[in-house]
Amino acid sequence: MNVIGIIAEYNPFHNGHIYQIETIRAKYPKARIIALMSGSFTQRGCPAILDKWQRASHAVLSGIDLVLELPAAFAVRSAQNFAHGGVSLLSRLGVVDGLSFGAESPLAFLQCAADSSKRSDVQELLHAYVQKGHSYAAALSHAIAQSSGINEAFLKQPNNILALEYLRALNCCATSIEPFAVARIGAAYHDEELHDTYASASSIRREIQTAAPRRNLLAKVLPANSMEALFEAHTEEAIPEINLLFRPLLAQLEHHTLENLQEIYGINEGFENRLLHAASHCLTMKELLDECRSRRHPQSRIQRLIFHIMLHLRRQDIHEFDENGPLYARILAFNRAGKSLLHEIKQKSSLPLISKTSHFLKDAALKYSPEKRTTLENMLALDIHATEVRRLCLPQIAKRGEDFQRSPLFISDKRKTPA
């Protein structure tokens, strides 16, 4: 493999991510690595703990050659859409021949599960379980396990869930990109306790959001640049909190009818009734999330729906995005090897490389209705609006317009400069 892609969130960048990079380098020492990274919001519908430029720079300082933003149109979606959007974008770059991802199980096991998911009997079971009220992820694992005899417990492990979707996306995109699974080490994905060397991102976020984060423990699980950025954000009250979206959400819902909400992507099965009822008396975001939660609507899905409401993301918008796939590659950070990759992408890909947002979308155009913009402009506008919504989640609100003001970072000899 000459160019290997990683689809990630780096929320925040930690030692487990360094382990993945080192594992790739050990097997493919001459390979260059491209990371597709979620921008201002993560797949679970939460604001990223540090802004996308900071997280991208930490990745390049630790061995990634080029970081591109995974558009929010795919990043803040289900695991299936997240994986498909990422694989599609990597494939369209025209230079990527490998995809690396973490997994709790061997690649052969996961490939067997991915292959079985295409069978008609599995698809029938999948739809039957969804009709019974199971979430898509749960329905898929039930269907594969029931039809193939694969142990369902393995399919439910967090990294395996995404790994399975990456493999299914590779099959669906008919790409020549080869998978490269890296065995997960250290803490479990959702483990909230800090462990030496390799801790989960969840436990790191939980610790830095305490009143007095323990520097000695975080120093063991984070590279120095990532740790210092987190402590600086903690000191300056610059760590976002999804709870701060509660009042803006209530203000939005005051103007929504049931019919309006039914236009929003992902809102169906009567969820609009439950949401409006909860909003009529809940006093905190936690209360609202608790009241709206169900087997079919876990907290992560509800948080994504809140994001979609805040950005007024309609079904027809998503349908258009999915039909076209990712339409650009937005550059966040790169090193010298990444710079050569950008030259190759320009030669081999039809996708535009975005380094200056204003060259593709003017600030004034953000006020236009989606019908007055192109699909690319609407996709890019969603990324920009996501950054502005993340700004609302900061205890000390920041200035607007970062996406128009900030340039990609060129990082050479561990120093960051605007490109």
Side-chain angles (χ1 to χ4, degrees):
M1 298 182 188
N2 297 309
V3 180
I4 297 175
I6 297 173
I7 305 169
E9 296 192 312
Y10 297 148
N11 189 41
F13 191 92
H14 56 67
N15 287 352
H17 301 128
I18 292 177
Y19 172 78
Q20 181 184 21
I21 295 168
E22 290 176 342
T23 303
I24 293 171
R25 296 288 186 204
K27 187 164 185 179
Y28 302 102
K30 295 183 179 180
R32 291 165 295 172
I33 304 175
I34 298 175
L36 291 189
M37 190 187 77
S38 300
S40 297
F41 269 73
T42 67
Q43 192 262 334
R44 293 179 62 81
C46 292
I49 195 164
L50 295 172
D51 71 51
K52 53 193 175 187
W53 295 277
Q54 285 179 296
R55 288 156 38 236
S57 71
H58 298 158
V60 175
L61 286 167
S62 294
I64 298 293
D65 296 307
L66 171 64
V67 181
L68 304 173
E69 181 174 357
L70 178 61
F74 306 98
V76 195
R77 303 270 298 279
S78 68
Q80 179 187 24
N81 301 121
F82 178 91
H84 194 276
V87 168
S88 178
L89 180 48
L90 285 175
S91 179
R92 293 180 181 197
L93 295 177
V95 298
V96 178
D97 54 11
L99 172 63
S100 175
F101 49 82
E104 288 96 349
S105 299
L107 180 59
F109 168 89
L110 295 167
Q111 191 66 69
C112 178
D115 292 341
S116 70
S117 71
K118 297 182 290 185
R119 299 199 323 239
S120 59
D121 58 326
V122 174
Q123 288 297 310
E124 288 174 8
L125 285 169
L126 168 64
H127 294 305
Y129 279 121
V130 168
Q131 289 297 316
K132 290 178 182 178
H134 294 272
S135 67
Y136 178 86
L140 181 62
S141 64
H142 292 335
I144 292 174
Q146 184 174 330
S147 179
S148 65
I150 291 174
N151 188 328
E152 187 174 358
F154 292 116
L155 298 175
K156 289 184 174 181
Q157 293 178 303
N159 281 273
N160 281 353
I161 290 172
L162 259 179
L164 177 61
E165 293 299 345
Y166 290 140
L167 293 171
R168 295 178 72 213
L170 288 172
N171 291 337
C172 182
C173 291
T175 176
S176 59
I177 295 175
E178 293 290 327
F180 174 40
V182 175
R184 183 179 179 88
I185 60 172
Y189 185 89
H190 294 301
D191 194 334
E192 293 189 347
E193 295 299 321
L194 278 172
H195 301 278
D196 283 359
T197 309
Y198 301 110
S200 71
S202 300
S203 66
I204 294 169
R205 291 194 300 270
R206 182 179 180 180
E207 180 66 25
I208 199 65
Q209 289 172 315
T210 61
R214 293 169 289 181
R215 181 179 284 269
N216 62 320
L217 294 182
L218 288 171
K220 296 178 181 179
V221 300
L222 291 167
N225 46 65
S226 184
M227 187 183 75
E228 292 307 325
L230 286 170
F231 271 93
E232 181 179 350
H234 180 275
T235 301
E236 296 180 357
E237 296 187 354
I239 293 180
E241 302 170 18
I242 194 171
N243 298 334
L244 294 177
L245 278 187
F246 184 63
R247 290 186 180 187
L249 174 65
L250 293 185
Q252 285 257 18
L253 293 177
E254 282 293 322
H255 299 283
H256 275 293
T257 63
L258 288 174
E259 291 74 21
N260 294 148
L261 282 176
Q262 288 165 353
E263 294 178 358
I264 301 296
Y265 170 72
I267 292 187
N268 50 30
E269 301 154 347
F271 182 79
E272 63 275 15
N273 293 294
R274 193 184 317 163
L275 179 61
L276 287 177
H277 176 70
S280 69
H281 63 274
C282 288
L283 301 179
T284 66
M285 182 69 85
K286 184 180 185 305
E287 287 181 14
L288 183 138
L289 291 171
D290 288 343
E291 183 156 327
C292 291
R293 190 183 294 121
S294 68
R295 182 169 64 176
R296 184 170 286 187
H297 288 86
Q299 181 169 319
S300 58
R301 182 177 178 186
I302 299 169
Q303 288 170 171
R304 286 195 296 270
L305 291 177
I306 290 171
F307 174 83
H308 298 157
I309 292 168
M310 293 298 300
L311 277 72
H312 197 69
L313 183 58
R314 306 169 301 173
R315 296 172 190 272
Q316 66 197 69
D317 300 325
I318 285 293
H319 177 71
E320 190 173 9
F321 295 151
D322 287 347
E323 274 199 334
N324 287 276
L327 293 174
Y328 53 83
R330 187 171 182 195
I331 309 163
L332 294 177
F334 58 96
N335 59 18
R336 293 191 185 280
K339 189 174 183 179
S340 70
L341 270 171
L342 290 171
H343 288 304
E344 290 181 32
I345 293 169
K346 285 181 181 179
Q347 295 172 351
K348 297 180 180 180
S349 175
S350 61
L351 289 182
L353 289 168
I354 296 181
S355 57
K356 289 191 179 295
T357 305
S358 58
H359 289 176
F360 293 84
L361 182 69
K362 300 298 183 184
D363 190 10
L366 291 175
K367 305 295 184 183
Y368 298 170
S369 67
E371 289 75 20
K372 293 183 178 181
R373 297 187 301 234
T374 66
T375 304
L376 184 152
E377 288 172 333
N378 284 332
M379 193 177 291
L380 184 55
L382 191 64
D383 296 343
I384 296 166
H385 286 311
T387 300
E388 297 307 321
V389 173
R390 181 184 179 274
R391 184 174 68 94
L392 298 180
C393 297
L394 297 171
Q396 298 293 326
I397 197 163
K399 292 181 179 179
R400 72 175 296 276
E402 276 193 299
D403 279 287
F404 291 99
Q405 297 163 5
R406 300 187 66 166
S407 299
L409 294 169
F410 173 61
I411 298 173
S412 176
D413 300 326
K414 298 192 181 299
R415 290 189 296 273
K416 296 182 288 183
T417 57

